[in-house]
Amino acid sequence: MIGKKKEKNQEKQENVVEVNDNILNIISPPGIDFDKMQTSLGENVGRIYIISRYPDRNDYGWLAKLCNLEGTSTTVEFHYTDPDRLISIYDKRIGELKGNEGTLKNESDIARNKKAQEDLKKLVHRLAVEEEPVGYVTIILHVQAGTQKQLEDRIKRVSSKVAVQGCSIRLLKSRQQLGLKAIAPYGIPIEEVSRIGMRNMPISSFLGGFPMANPGLNDPDGYYLGKTTNNRLVILNMWLRGKDRINSNWAIFGPPGMGKSTTLKDLLLLEYAFFRTKIIIFDPEVEYVGVATHPDIKGDVIDCGGGEKGRINPLQARKTAVVRPEELEAGENMEDYLAFDTGTENTESDLALYLQQLKVFFRLYFGKENFSVGISALLEQCLIELYQKFGITWETDVSTVPNDKWPLPKDLRDYVIARRKKDEAGDLSNYRKDNYEKLEDMLFSMAEGADSKLWNGYTTLEAKADFVDLLVSSLLDAAENTKRAQFYNILSWAWTELSKDRSQKVIFAVDEGYTVIDPEYPDIMKYLRNYSKRLRKYEGALWFITHSVVDLLDPAVKRYGQAIIDNACYKFVMGCDGKNLEEAAKIFNLSEQEVNMLQEKNRSQGIFFAGNTRLRLKVDVSDEFLSMMGKAGGR
């Protein structure tokens, strides 16, 4: 019996539901009480404060931070006043500052005096010349909590956050009743309260500070990406087009440990889930295999460093972007898109345009010191004749030629040898013979030697799935010339995937972008720059992800690196310091508050740009997505 009674008591205890104070306060009239120091509303205790000091400068949306404080309701008042009165006060103050100039000796005091005069003169100009309305601002805060201990702790946190904004709070001692009336929804401004915290302010500074001036981002048909540091939602649709958002390109910067890989995986999964976007990712660190092979994704993982399914025959011509003179933007010319002169008659021939890329490929592979004018001319002659031998001419639509109908590198080397022997039967100069022999030697490795596994075979790389992970990790240890050439080969293949269907959304993400940056050979960066410009005419997007903006600023590649940054409508700069932070602050014109945020180096946080909109964003990854990401690249 005793045991049964205990069980019943336990059941009763388990069935007890905790009291919800919020609901209780709604359904039962709360009691209102106050004394000199605090208020009581129902079950909650609180204190009413007023902002008594403001910073000299206010950022756009500055009020958002004061209107979203923990457990605090905020009342903002603006009282219009005659600008002539303030102008008179400012004129008098400017005169005082000028009079003090002769007494100042320290450079710091002189600089502060000069700065104060400049700020006041700007205010006078706004009020007297531009006739901007002006008034007095009062901000009242009501901090509440369930218990006295919770209230004391909350006040400390609120006071600290207010101080970070350059403000101070002052308790309305002996005026809690008046403060309660002033903040009540049905209340009216109480002059005795307002006067304590009044601060004169032009109306543009006041309106620019409202919470709705910094609302986060709310794109139609978008997905939830995260929240701003003032808890505003960021709902993103990067395929939305507008005056300041003309493409879907991204540039993401974050040193190791800042959550860069997790952020990128989250973005890719969101794009795949919401828009069924096709994803192709250049993966040097094998970080995306877990995502690609997840049962809900069923993507392709392809080894492009010698795998049987990842071969790209460099001699198989692919369609390239056709650039016409009338499409050039201001300051551009055809040489920005063509590595070599094709002549005017072949600028739209598939084969002629691909020969441009092929010569870049061989220059990267042979090395620019070996790719002389004589070698280049001989190679081009042999390629054209070899293609003709395979029935491929200037007029051929290369997309109609099957993979196994294209010449291979061994075919090219054999043709060069046969052509040399034929020419030797006639009058072959030593210069020409020397070029033949050099070309034969340089083609040996890709035709029959160590690199033949990579290139001497028909193309097998095919993106059947909508999520394709291109593994290139094995190439990082390859010879520099082989790595450069294959990287370029992969980019050329990826462009075909991006551009073949203008109605399909496709993302090509280049992770660990520093691996493709070579100051000695800027051709790859130039090619990516062209990507970033041309993709706005397609439903394609280039995402460039690297550790630091410094990676893109080497003088040899800065022209192209800067263009990749500038052409990206979406940018995310994550926590950093040192030279990286210094350069980021210059390029993105970061404010002092933004610099401070990046210096804190909080994981998955940074400055997010969407066109002209800039937000301090914390990416919020769902548990479901985290479980799909695996451990590669960190979590």
Side-chain angles (χ1 to χ4, degrees):
M1 291 294 292
I2 294 174
K4 290 182 178 180
K5 285 183 178 179
K6 285 184 177 180
E7 289 178 4
K8 288 182 178 180
N9 289 335
Q10 288 176 354
E11 289 178 3
K12 287 181 179 179
Q13 290 176 358
E14 290 175 357
N15 291 330
V16 173
V17 179
E18 291 186 7
V19 175
N20 188 317
D21 292 332
N22 293 327
I23 296 178
L24 185 63
N25 287 335
I26 292 172
I27 63 177
S28 62
I32 299 177
D33 195 10
F34 50 84
D35 57 27
K36 291 182 178 181
M37 301 296 291
Q38 66 184 40
T39 64
S40 296
L41 292 179
E43 301 296 325
N44 293 329
V45 291
R47 289 181 188 167
I48 300 176
Y49 293 84
I50 199 159
I51 301 291
S52 58
R53 182 174 65 85
Y54 294 80
D56 294 333
R57 294 174 177 272
N58 291 319
D59 286 343
Y60 186 67
W62 62 275
L63 264 175
K65 304 172 184 67
L66 300 177
C67 292
N68 289 279
L69 296 168
E70 171 193 359
T72 303
S73 57
T74 306
T75 299
V76 182
E77 299 176 357
F78 183 83
H79 304 272
Y80 173 79
T81 188
D82 185 357
D84 291 339
R85 180 172 175 272
L86 280 178
I87 291 171
S88 177
I89 294 173
Y90 292 156
D91 286 341
K92 183 178 179 181
R93 180 57 182 157
I94 291 172
E96 292 174 354
L97 290 169
K98 286 183 177 179
N100 293 336
E101 288 178 351
T103 63
L104 301 176
K105 296 181 180 180
N106 297 330
E107 285 296 326
S108 58
D109 293 335
I110 294 172
R112 277 193 289 266
N113 182 287
K114 183 178 180 181
K115 184 67 171 61
Q117 289 187 52
E118 291 175 354
D119 290 343
L120 286 171
K121 287 177 181 178
K122 289 178 182 177
L123 275 174
V124 170
H125 184 272
R126 288 166 64 179
L127 301 183
V129 179
E130 298 178 6
E131 298 182 346
E132 181 177 339
V134 68
Y136 288 97
V137 174
T138 302
I139 301 176
I140 308 169
L141 307 177
H142 187 197
V143 188
Q144 297 184 78
T147 67
Q148 193 66 38
K149 177 66 168 60
Q150 291 174 348
L151 177 63
E152 298 295 341
D153 292 341
R154 179 165 289 172
I155 288 172
K156 290 179 182 178
R157 293 193 294 270
V158 168
S159 178
S160 176
K161 290 182 179 180
V162 170
V164 169
Q165 305 307 321
C167 301
S168 297
I169 58 174
R170 174 182 173 184
L171 179 66
L172 288 177
K173 191 175 181 180
S174 301
R175 295 182 178 86
Q176 292 291 297
Q177 180 185 9
L178 294 176
L180 199 57
K181 290 180 179 179
I183 67 170
Y186 48 80
I188 58 174
I190 307 296
E191 184 178 354
E192 186 177 346
V193 173
S194 301
R195 192 170 56 246
I196 296 173
M198 277 186 171
R199 160 70 182 268
N200 56 69
M201 190 176 295
I203 197 167
S204 61
S205 298
F206 173 64
L207 294 177
F210 265 101
M212 62 283 292
N214 191 12
L217 196 66
N218 188 16
D219 289 343
D221 303 319
Y223 45 73
Y224 170 68
L225 181 59
K227 293 181 180 179
T228 64
T229 52
N230 54 9
N231 288 321
R232 297 291 172 175
L233 297 181
V234 176
I235 310 296
L236 177 66
N237 177 2
M238 73 170 198
W239 304 102
L240 194 67
R241 294 292 181 262
K243 292 181 179 179
D244 61 335
R245 292 162 69 176
I246 60 173
N247 62 48
S248 302
N249 297 343
W250 279 71
I252 301 176
F253 305 96
M258 288 295 99
K260 182 173 78 276
S261 295
T262 301
T263 297
L264 181 57
K265 290 174 186 177
D266 183 49
L267 281 165
L268 293 175
L269 286 170
L270 286 167
E271 282 294 326
Y272 184 84
F274 275 77
F275 297 108
R276 204 60 183 181
T277 304
K278 185 168 186 175
I279 309 295
I280 303 172
I281 186 158
F282 182 90
D283 185 3
E285 298 293 346
V286 198
E287 294 185 32
Y288 301 89
V289 174
V291 177
T293 57
H294 191 276
D296 292 338
I297 303 295
K298 297 179 181 178
D300 290 335
V301 178
I302 301 172
D303 181 7
C304 294
E308 287 298 321
K309 294 183 179 180
R311 185 185 302 114
I312 307 172
N313 173 15
L315 300 188
Q316 178 173 340
R318 292 176 289 276
K319 282 189 174 291
T320 61
V322 178
V323 182
R324 300 177 179 86
E326 61 269 19
E327 295 178 333
L328 296 175
E329 297 177 2
E332 291 184 334
N333 53 55
M334 292 298 291
E335 286 70 29
D336 289 330
Y337 294 93
L338 300 176
F340 303 93
D341 184 16
T342 62
T344 56
E345 69 277 6
N346 286 328
T347 54
E348 294 192 20
S349 163
D350 289 345
L351 184 59
L353 289 172
Y354 187 72
L355 280 173
Q356 289 276 320
Q357 293 186 9
L358 199 51
K359 286 200 285 184
V360 174
F361 170 85
F362 279 111
R363 182 169 62 188
L364 293 170
Y365 185 56
F366 294 163
K368 57 186 177 183
E369 66 280 358
N370 297 319
F371 199 71
S372 63
V373 174
I375 293 291
S376 175
L378 179 59
L379 175 65
E380 185 172 0
Q381 291 167 8
C382 291
L383 283 169
I384 293 171
E385 292 170 9
L386 180 63
Y387 281 128
Q388 289 175 344
K389 184 179 177 181
F390 276 73
I392 300 165
T393 66
W394 301 121
E395 291 75 28
T396 301
D397 180 353
V398 298
S399 63
T400 64
V401 182
N403 293 355
D404 59 357
K405 299 301 180 182
W406 290 93
L408 301 177
K410 189 176 186 307
D411 296 322
L412 175 60
R413 186 170 187 271
D414 290 344
Y415 186 81
V416 172
I417 294 172
R419 197 174 191 272
R420 172 180 57 80
K421 291 179 178 179
K422 180 181 178 181
D423 287 354
E424 283 178 337
D427 185 15
L428 182 64
S429 67
N430 290 333
Y431 171 77
R432 188 77 166 174
K433 182 179 180 181
D434 184 54
N435 283 334
Y436 267 120
E437 291 174 349
K438 286 181 179 178
L439 185 56
E440 291 169 23
D441 290 342
M442 289 188 292
L443 287 171
F444 174 78
S445 183
M446 70 183 307
E448 301 179 55
D451 294 334
S452 61
K453 183 180 179 182
L454 194 61
W455 291 314
N456 192 50
Y458 299 119
T459 297
T460 58
L461 178 56
E462 187 175 356
K464 295 180 180 179
D466 286 334
F467 198 111
V468 182
D469 184 12
L470 303 179
L471 300 180
V472 296
S473 57
S474 59
L475 291 170
L476 299 181
D477 296 325
E480 285 297 315
N481 65 317
T482 303
K483 179 177 69 174
R484 289 192 302 261
Q486 181 64 347
F487 280 178
Y488 188 82
N489 200 26
I490 293 169
L491 295 182
S492 172
W493 173 88
W495 170 259
T496 305
E497 295 298 310
L498 284 163
S499 60
K500 67 182 179 182
D501 184 354
R502 289 177 181 255
S503 65
Q504 183 181 26
K505 295 179 174 64
V506 187
I507 293 170
F508 180 51
V510 180
D511 195 18
E512 308 296 345
Y514 64 89
T515 59
V516 303
I517 299 174
D518 187 342
E520 294 296 319
Y521 292 86
D523 306 82
I524 293 178
M525 291 301 294
K526 179 179 180 180
Y527 196 59
L528 286 173
R529 187 280 309 268
N530 294 348
Y531 257 56
S532 68
K533 287 194 171 189
R534 300 298 299 169
L535 280 173
R536 63 186 177 85
K537 298 182 179 294
Y538 302 83
E539 282 289 85
L542 171 67
W543 292 13
F544 192 89
I545 306 96
T546 191
H547 290 168
S548 165
V549 293
V550 177
D551 297 338
L552 295 166
L553 298 180
D554 185 284
V557 298
K558 184 176 181 179
R559 175 187 177 190
Y560 308 118
Q562 185 73 57
I564 289 173
I565 296 173
D566 294 343
N567 290 335
C569 282
Y570 302 91
K571 307 174 187 72
F572 191 39
V573 185
M574 306 180 78
C576 55
D577 53 21
K579 182 68 173 177
N580 185 11
L581 179 58
E582 181 182 334
E583 292 297 335
K586 291 179 183 177
I587 290 176
F588 301 112
N589 193 26
L590 301 180
S591 68
E592 183 178 348
Q593 290 81 1
E594 289 169 336
V595 169
N596 291 337
M597 177 191 177
L598 294 181
Q599 281 181 323
E600 292 174 1
K601 300 179 75 172
N602 291 320
R603 187 175 170 83
S604 298
Q605 291 189 27
I607 310 302
F608 171 58
F609 300 81
N612 293 331
T613 301
R614 55 200 296 161
L615 304 168
R616 300 172 200 176
L617 171 67
K618 176 174 174 54
V619 177
D620 190 2
V621 184
S622 68
D623 292 337
E624 291 81 0
F625 278 4
L626 278 174
S627 67
M628 297 173 67
M629 291 180 184
K631 296 181 179 179
R635 298 269 300 276

